[in-house]
Amino acid sequence: MKNNIIKDRHKYIFTLIGEKKFSFLLAIFFMLIMATTNAGVAFLVKPLIDDIFVTNNVTMLKLLPILIVSLYFIRGISMYGQEYFMVYVGKSIILKLRNKLYSHIQDQSLSFFYKETTGALMSRITNDITLITGMVSSAVTGTLRDVFTVLALIIVVFYRDWQLAIVALVILPMVFYPVIKFGQRIRRVSTKTQEANASLGAFLFETLSGNKIVKAFGMESYEKKRFEDQTNNVFKLEMKVVVTNAMTSPLMEFMGGGAIAFVIWYGGFAVMNGYSTAGNFFSFLTAVMMLYEPIKKLSKVNNVVQEGMSAVDRVFDIIELDTDIDECENPVDIKLEPHRVEFKDVSFRYNDEETVLNDINIRVDTGEVIALVGMSGGGKSTLINLIPRFYDVATGSVLIDGLDVKEASIKSLRKQIAIVTQEPILFNDSIKNNIMYGKRDATIEEIEEASKAAYAYDFIQELPDKFDTVIGESGSRLSGGQKQRLSIARALIKDAPILILDEATSALDSEAEKVVQKALENLMRGRTTFVIAHRLSTIAYANRIIVIVNGNIIEEGTHKELLEKKGEYFKLYNMQFNEDST
């Protein structure tokens, strides 16, 4: 199955070319004209020598320069036409392929992003697509143009001397054999080079985004050495490609020189013995020498094609990857209204690893606030990630108002849910656009109202450009508390009936936590809420607290009830209380 898919990948590229049929046919039309003018130049060598220099024909002397100028004028127009239309086709294909790749990446589940590095994915969208651009825009153009030129010149060669032409064509496959072998080597090395560039991209993303940690631990020298190792590896692989490319031209030069030497010897012998005229011979020789140039270009184009095909395989490795989260055939749209959420006999595991959640049964009524607590790694975050189908259950079901989330349309399901995470995820855009991310058609009045409810309005008004202030990468120009309040404003404006708070205050200091907690109270009002909390003192208000240990529910009740039980929750609470007291 996989092998058939790989074969179809390369056909798919040409299917995309067919979608721009009109522009592609225009490019071919101009290529044919260009090939014809090239052949015409070689064809005119015979009358140039025999009619002008041998027989002194004055009429031909007047006519030939005009013909030659006309040929080169037409050739110039056709060069522009084929270049423009073919590059247009190539760039259009790359635009579609890049958008398709990005779209497919966005459709993948969270588990995909945990397996793939950000830098490697960026490399596929940028570096690999660029190599495909070279193949489609340059290589396809060059191949078609040079093949047409070769065919046109072969017609001239056969017309001038068919016997010598047959001998020359026997030599031609010998010229192409090393070209094919070099191309295969370039494809293998190019795949390794692209993988090395992806690894370098991942390294750069990690060390540049984590530069604060690098400096804090004094690891600059260590990271510089690692970077040098990575770039040296890329350099060695790139040089292997250069060596193979560089060997192609000298070999072609030598074999081409041998072929021309043979033509001169054979053709000169024919002229001396009266079997051919000087004009006929030089016309043939010109055509053969002009043949050599496009054939040499085809050898270079083959190398570009092999690099591009390698990139096609890497891109389609992602495009053909099935997402873990499939939408059912006739999905149900969930109405935007208050909801009841239920986990029924839910178990979950990552791939074939050990079970993370075991037989979980929870019913959360409309407007109820549920807190999930327990030691790190117990399965709390995994459990709430099942609600928006970031993952799917292994067994059991997650229900919203009795409907299995697998039967709902993913778009309508996620429209019901707002999430505030421990690490605020903001974009390098204005404050207004970050808040509007939850509702793209929000009015400025709605944005201001959400920011006030999130206790963000006052600090926004103190900024130079207020709501138009660009906050930097990941909100780097704001404090932790300010970033979290913007995340809350974004969740507020979405106005989703189900709310997930994943350690929303654990990264904040006490003062910032108090302000954010007030904003969260506004956010939770009237919503079915799931709270994962590290600081147990912040969840006393919850209707129910569920203690999860090693994927199992071991306790459930109110804050007061669980303290009175003196079980696992009591131990966690006292442990934190003692830590806070010291």
Side-chain angles (χ1 to χ4, degrees), residues 180-199:
I180 294 167
K181 297 301 289 183
F182 284 152
Q184 291 170 347
R185 174 177 167 77
I186 280 178
R187 186 164 178 174
R188 288 194 301 270
V189 177
S190 180
T191 299
K192 293 179 181 177
T193 305
Q194 289 160 42
E195 289 171 356
N197 274 317
S199 177

Side-chain angles (χ1 to χ4, degrees), residues 10 13-14 17 24 27-28 31 82 86-87 89-90 93 131-148 298 301-302 304-305 309:
H10 307 142
I13 298 297
F14 293 99
I17 292 176
F24 184 61
I28 289 177
M31 287 177 195
Q82 63 89 21
M86 201 60 219
V87 169
V89 171
I93 290 169
L131 286 173
I132 299 174
T133 304
M135 179 186 75
V136 176
S137 294
S138 304
V140 174
T141 304
T143 301
L144 290 172
R145 181 187 61 231
D146 293 333
V147 165
F148 290 151
L298 282 172
V301 164
N302 180 59
V304 175
V305 168
M309 287 301 187

Side-chain angles (χ1 to χ4, degrees), residues 266-278:
Y266 184 91
F269 180 81
V271 172
M272 288 179 182
N273 288 277
Y275 303 138
S276 179
T277 65

Side-chain angles (χ1 to χ4, degrees), residues 290-315:
M290 289 178 74
L291 259 175
Y292 167 68
E293 190 60 32
I295 289 174
K296 188 170 76 170
K297 285 180 181 176
L298 282 172
S299 71
K300 289 288 187 183
V301 164
N302 180 59
N303 295 344
V304 175
V305 168
Q306 294 306 322
E307 286 186 321
M309 287 301 187
S310 171
V312 167
D313 286 339
R314 280 175 50 78
V315 167

Side-chain angles (χ1 to χ4, degrees), residues 109 111 324-326 341-351 355-362 379 381-400 403-407 413-414:
S109 66
S111 58
D324 297 340
I325 308 300
D326 293 320
V341 180
E342 185 177 357
F343 295 88
K344 192 173 183 180
D345 303 324
V346 166
S347 295
F348 178 80
R349 68 180 63 86
Y350 292 102
N351 300 323
T355 303
V356 178
L357 296 171
N358 299 290
D359 198 27
I360 300 293
N361 285 280
I362 304 172
S381 293
T382 301
L383 183 65
I384 62 170
N385 282 332
L386 297 174
I387 303 172
R389 290 192 71 194
F390 292 157
Y391 305 109
D392 272 341
V393 299
T395 59
S397 54
V398 179
L399 309 170
I400 292 182
L403 176 73
D404 193 322
V405 292
K406 289 183 178 180
E407 297 175 14
L413 169 65
R414 292 176 181 170

Side-chain angles (χ1 to χ4, degrees), residues 54-66:
V54 177
T55 61
N56 299 322
N57 188 325
V58 177
T59 304
M60 288 301 291
L61 179 62
K62 293 177 181 178
L63 184 61
L64 271 178
I66 296 171

Side-chain angles (χ1 to χ4, degrees), residues 135-261:
M135 179 186 75
V136 176
S137 294
S138 304
V140 174
T141 304
T143 301
L144 290 172
R145 181 187 61 231
D146 293 333
V147 165
F148 290 151
T149 301
V150 167
L151 291 174
L153 289 169
I154 284 174
I155 292 171
V156 175
V157 166
F158 268 90
Y159 183 80
R160 291 302 181 207
D161 193 328
W162 65 270
Q163 292 172 314
L164 185 54
I166 290 173
V167 176
L169 287 181
V170 170
I171 299 172
L172 205 58
M174 296 170 58
V175 175
F176 274 105
Y177 178 74
V179 170
I180 294 167
K181 297 301 289 183
F182 284 152
Q184 291 170 347
R185 174 177 167 77
I186 280 178
R187 186 164 178 174
R188 288 194 301 270
V189 177
S190 180
T191 299
K192 293 179 181 177
T193 305
Q194 289 160 42
E195 289 171 356
N197 274 317
S199 177
L200 180 61
F203 173 84
L204 281 171
F205 179 83
E206 287 177 354
T207 54
L208 294 179
S209 60
N211 189 254
K212 185 176 181 179
I213 298 300
V214 174
K215 292 186 182 301
F217 284 85
M219 296 298 283
E220 291 92 340
S221 298
Y222 172 74
E223 297 299 351
K224 287 175 187 177
K225 177 66 172 60
R226 287 179 67 203
F227 181 74
E228 287 173 6
D229 291 341
Q230 296 255 14
T231 52
N232 282 335
N233 184 38
V234 173
F235 171 76
K236 288 173 184 176
L237 289 168
E238 286 177 341
M239 285 309 297
K240 285 183 180 180
V241 175
V242 169
V243 167
T244 307
N245 269 323
M247 286 173 65
T248 305
S249 288
L251 189 61
M252 292 292 293
E253 292 283 349
F254 174 73
M255 298 188 79
I260 290 170

